[in-house]
Amino acid sequence: MTSEFIQLLTPEGERVPDETYDPWIADVTDEHLRGLYRDLLLTRRVDVEATALQRQGELGLWASCLGQEAAQVGSGRALLADDFAFPTYREHGVAITRGVDPMSLLGLFRGVSNGGWDPHEHNFALYTIVIGNQCLHAVGYAMGVQMEASRSGGERSSAVIAYFGDGASSQGDVNEAFVFAGSFNAPVVFFCQNNQWAISEPIERQSRIPLYRRASGFGFPGVRVDGNDVLAVLAVTRAHLAAAREGQGPSLIEAFTYRMGAHTTSDDPTRYRLASDLEVWKLKDPLERLRSYLWRRQLVDQSFFEALDAEAEALAVRLREGCRSMPEPPPEAMFTHVYAGPHPLVTEERAAYAAYLEGFLPEGAV
């Protein structure tokens, strides 16, 4: 499975036939297509709302996924219930497809939670702030899946997907994960969203070759897909997850997309990026191309979009009100879930921090 560029839907919303990947979306019905558009729209609404909340001082930080919705929704919808995903801190669209309440995402960025959801309830690990770290977690989990199936004598029924960005592809953790996955034939799909900027560093300075070609150096296949094409991402990710479940080992998907927003709300991309580049990529907007496709095939009418807009607005209102009313946890809560059980170092640190807090006068005292 190696190709230069997989695209099933042009930026104008025209369907492109593909002999290899069309069978992987042959079961996608008109209702599924409308559902994919709903996922894309709600993901963008969450992203826009969270960015606004950060600007109003309600969130400490927000990592936008603006422009990357198709890469996230397409790959997220490709996962089966038993598959397990290991995200970075930007996979808001994947979180939505795994059933994570967007309110939980806001709790993390508001600083009232160290996580926000039960990973085993959604088969979706907590966000990882350390760049690339989650790829090692994913490979370890995948090797566990592999060993469990071997010991039970049963067939492997699940696969693992590890998300990371083009900047993280330069990290040692990611390359070490590639080595282990290749050496042990782990059932993991590495999903790189190449949004072309590692904060202020362009992809041209990060790699001399397309990122998917790096996979061959580690002994497994790689493919580049149009990351703004939700159908292509869905098909390609399904194919590679299936290969992992069948024992064919790891693979690398490079979703070629563009970061239309800032790296995070602490970043100003106008200082290092040309505005003309952004205008070019706006014409490739993942929502607009699926919207055009739905119109072309007459699968929707205006009432469909009006109903979705109303649903998105209701979600935004819930996020605004819910975010502002989140209770602040006690300061010592940060030590509660560091380990599953008691740990002497954490106990010592908790006590020291409590003693430090007791040194402050109560509010109103002089």
Side-chain angles (χ1 to χ4, degrees), residues 97-244:
T97 66
R98 299 304 279 174
V100 176
D101 187 342
M103 189 71 75
S104 302
L105 307 177
L106 300 189
L108 177 66
F109 288 98
R110 189 174 172 83
V112 301
S113 170
N114 288 336
W117 58 90
D118 180 354
H120 295 288
E121 181 182 348
H122 304 282
N123 277 15
F124 183 74
L126 297 178
Y127 277 4
T128 305
I129 305 299
V130 179
I131 305 298
N133 198 211
Q134 73 284 353
C135 291
L136 289 170
H137 303 163
V139 173
Y141 189 95
M143 291 170 65
V145 169
Q146 193 177 38
M147 293 174 186
E148 191 174 61
S150 177
R151 288 172 182 169
S152 66
E155 294 184 1
R156 190 182 306 116
S157 59
S158 60
V160 178
I161 189 166
Y163 290 91
F164 60 101
D166 49 295
S169 69
S170 300
Q171 288 282 4
D173 281 3
V174 174
N175 288 270
E176 290 158 14
F178 285 2
V179 171
F180 265 82
S183 298
F184 292 93
N185 205 43
V188 58
V189 174
F190 296 104
F191 192 92
C192 176
Q193 290 172 78
N194 178 3
N195 64 26
Q196 305 186 52
W197 288 93
I199 308 184
S200 59
E201 294 297 327
I203 184 64
E204 294 81 12
R205 198 169 299 158
Q206 302 173 61
S207 181
R208 291 188 175 188
I209 60 172
L211 294 177
Y212 78 92
R213 290 188 186 172
R214 290 184 176 180
S216 62
F218 294 90
F220 51 81
V223 61
R224 174 179 269 192
V225 60
D226 185 340
N228 284 20
D229 175 356
V230 70
L231 290 185
V233 174
L234 176 66
V236 170
T237 311
R238 277 181 169 182
H240 285 260
L241 286 169

